[in-house]
Amino acid sequence: MLNLNHFIIALTDAFLSGPFEQAALLKRGQTCLGVSPPWLNKICQMLVEQNIAADRDHVAAFLKNRSNFRPTDLPERIAYYYCPETRMQTVPSFAAASLPILHTVADLQDFLKLPNLSRLEWFADHRQTLHHYAHGPLCHYEYRWQGHKPRLLCMPKTQLKRLQKRIAQTLLASVPVHAAAHGFTRGHSTRTFVAAHCARHWVLRLDLTAFFPSIGFPRIYGFFRYLGYAKSIARYLTLLCTHRVPKAVLVPHITDWYTRKRFEQRHLPQGAPTSPALANLVTYALDCRLTGLADSIGANYTRYADDLLFSGDEHIDLPHLITLIGHIVADAGFSLNYRKTRVMGHGQRQQAVGIVFNQQPQVSRQVFDRFKAILHNCVVHGVDSQRQRYQASDPMGRELSAVRLQGQLAYFHMINPEKAQRLTDLYRQIKWPS
């Protein structure tokens, strides 16, 4: 005779493997048992009428406690075992109002507007085989090295980028970040990042090593699970948001074995629309601990991506503070780049992310004077005379254009509107070629 607990588990799985309607419940129950006992229809009717939640524990408890099965009611064996997908768990209260509810992989396909499962698996690299291709149609990313010490940008191609943007704008945007995080956050900027540290007696600037490559698959998967998503949904979302860089892309530029292995494992690709938001969200615990450390010594703390700033007015043991920060950072799975650590007193130029903030945020004099000279030469000698010089001096090698200059003017206005007004007046005097 069939064991009662075994029977209840199998019947519960059958009931939860499709629509929670009487006819559908009856059909799946008959398939599971291989027979149609007279009590089955009554059980299905009671489940629907009493509005039993479509949850494994509730349905199993109902079958066990209220149905009073007799040994003669149980079949000799289970004819068919259903394997229902795990449904989404309770959503955290801070995101409950706007987080997309995705119970099944089919729900995820609809959310991403994909026609079928094969397309989802293709973009997610479900079989973990596409990382061997550095170029061509089988590669979802384009690669670019930038800077004197090469930094790798992994830029998703059009279709994958569309999926990542939807995840970033619809799902990740509904989850709040820590107040200390100022990078890639609406309403925050490099100016707000340094504003809390103006006119302080000392400022400590630190840098996290290999910030994006340090955030791997387990952290992102754990974050999506924390939001309540089932294992299958969390895995697909994590695969869509992480990437393995082909070895052929890394070998010419990265010789260190440990660093190369970080890139060859799944991590947040720098250049994907989802990476900045996910980086802020998975470092929430780190921001909490560093904020608590700063509060305990009467200091301020802010973070902009991998840049950390501490500041205060009271005299403290800064080498000991740096050691404590290093332990907290290491415990969170990151590491400090001690070569970039700087202690700046009130008598020195206090600068971070290109902004000087001894008394108030402002662009450094060198940057301001260089841009002012470009505008002056455009007014006096014409735009064409400055284009080649501008392209040679610009780190990105970009050409001089009205859009470029307007963008830099907007940046100066964000940092210090009063000082930037002089540059705007000079820009309006430029005569652009037709």
Side-chain angles (χ1 to χ4, degrees):
M1 186 65 67
L2 188 65
N3 179 272
L4 178 61
N5 288 334
H6 187 167
F7 163 74
I8 289 176
I9 290 172
L11 194 56
T12 299
D13 287 343
F15 288 154
L16 296 178
S17 295
F20 213 73
E21 302 167 357
Q22 183 174 345
L25 291 173
L26 178 61
K27 184 176 180 180
R28 293 196 299 276
Q30 292 170 344
T31 304
C32 172
L33 302 177
V35 294
S36 182
W39 50 262
L40 182 60
N41 187 48
K42 183 64 175 177
I43 288 290
C44 297
Q45 182 181 355
M46 291 171 64
L47 283 170
V48 175
E49 288 180 351
Q50 297 184 24
N51 197 25
I52 303 297
D55 175 83
R56 184 183 183 87
D57 293 336
H58 289 144
V59 174
F62 171 82
L63 292 176
K64 189 172 184 178
N65 299 329
R66 301 189 183 182
S67 303
N68 299 321
F69 290 110
R70 296 170 296 180
T72 54
D73 293 332
L74 306 185
E76 294 185 0
R77 63 181 182 85
I78 298 297
Y80 182 83
Y81 289 92
Y82 283 85
C83 297
E85 273 197 87
T86 305
R87 295 179 67 81
M88 188 170 176
Q89 302 302 307
T90 304
V91 178
S93 58
F94 57 76
S98 53
L99 197 68
I101 303 301
L102 307 173
H103 290 301
T104 65
V105 175
D107 293 337
L108 179 60
Q109 290 173 214
D110 293 339
F111 170 69
L112 296 175
K113 300 179 180 178
L114 291 173
N116 50 52
L117 179 60
S118 62
R119 293 296 288 171
L120 176 61
E121 292 182 345
W122 162 252
F123 287 117
D125 188 13
H126 183 65
R127 299 184 184 276
Q128 303 286 300
T129 56
L130 301 184
H131 66 277
H132 297 295
Y133 302 94
H135 305 285
L138 295 180
C139 182
H140 290 312
Y141 287 82
E142 295 176 348
Y143 306 99
R144 181 188 300 167
W145 292 92
Q146 285 186 347
H148 176 66
K149 291 184 177 179
R151 180 183 62 176
L152 178 61
L153 293 183
C154 304
M155 297 165 291
K157 294 182 180 178
T158 304
Q159 296 186 61
L160 178 59
K161 187 176 183 179
R162 177 184 64 81
L163 301 182
Q164 291 177 341
K165 278 188 174 181
R166 180 152 181 79
I167 294 172
Q169 296 171 357
T170 309
L171 194 157
L172 300 179
S174 64
V175 186
V177 301
H178 195 277
H182 290 257
F184 325 113
T185 307
R186 187 182 296 276
H188 294 78
S189 64
T190 52
R191 189 184 194 281
T192 63
F193 169 57
V194 302
H197 308 281
C198 293
R200 303 308 293 266
H201 185 73
W202 58 266
V203 175
L204 174 62
R205 189 182 74 201
L206 307 106
D207 182 83
L208 300 178
T209 303
F211 181 56
F212 285 103
S214 297
I215 303 174
F217 184 99
R219 290 194 198 191
I220 305 304
Y221 175 80
F223 168 74
F224 284 122
R225 289 286 290 148
Y226 169 70
L227 293 183
Y229 291 112
K231 292 180 180 179
S232 57
I233 305 297
R235 185 171 186 274
Y236 276 116
L237 288 172
T238 306
L239 289 173
L240 289 169
C241 297
T242 56
H243 178 54
R244 299 175 66 180
V245 181
K247 189 174 182 180
V249 176
L250 300 171
V251 170
H253 301 275
I254 299 178
T255 56
D256 179 62
W257 180 88
Y258 182 71
T259 304
R260 197 164 67 230
K261 284 300 177 184
R262 273 182 169 177
F263 282 94
E264 289 178 359
Q265 301 299 319
R266 279 201 167 267
H267 65 280
L268 289 184
Q270 189 168 356
T274 48
S275 294
L278 283 170
N280 277 336
L281 293 168
V282 300
T283 52
Y284 189 93
L286 173 63
D287 289 332
C288 287
R289 293 187 65 184
L290 292 180
T291 299
L293 175 62
D295 291 343
S296 69
I297 59 173
N300 288 339
Y301 160 73
T302 57
R303 180 180 61 81
Y304 191 94
D306 57 352
D307 290 306
L308 314 179
L309 276 183
F310 290 82
S311 66
D313 294 322
E314 299 180 9
H315 177 75
I316 61 170
D317 186 354
L318 286 173
H320 182 59
L321 175 61
I322 294 172
T323 302
L324 289 176
I325 294 171
H327 286 313
I328 293 174
V329 167
D331 193 46
F334 297 95
S335 59
L336 288 179
N337 186 346
Y338 288 98
R339 290 178 297 178
K340 292 187 178 182
T341 300
R342 297 289 183 273
V343 177
M344 300 167 284
H346 65 281
Q348 301 171 273
R349 182 169 71 171
Q350 297 173 339
Q351 181 176 357
V353 293
I355 300 176
V356 179
F357 52 91
N358 288 65
Q359 296 302 321
Q360 64 176 346
Q362 58 185 353
V363 180
S364 66
R365 181 175 298 176
Q366 292 89 336
V367 175
F368 183 87
D369 290 346
R370 174 181 168 272
F371 187 64
K372 182 180 178 182
I374 292 174
L375 296 179
H376 174 78
N377 289 333
C378 286
V379 173
V380 176
H381 303 291
V383 175
D384 291 336
S385 67
Q386 299 301 304
R387 278 186 167 149
Q388 187 174 358
R389 181 180 299 179
Y390 178 89
Q391 189 172 5
S393 62
D394 190 280
M396 301 291 290
R398 297 172 295 194
E399 293 186 357
L400 184 66
S401 66
V403 174
R404 301 291 184 198
L405 296 184
Q406 288 170 5
Q408 289 182 316
L409 278 173
Y411 173 73
F412 289 139
H413 270 281
M414 178 190 71
I415 304 301
N416 192 327
E418 295 179 4
K419 198 172 181 180
Q421 187 59 43
R422 286 181 283 168
L423 298 177
T424 303
D425 296 338
L426 195 57
Y427 170 80
R428 289 171 178 166
Q429 299 176 36
I430 298 176
K431 295 180 180 179
W432 294 92
S434 57

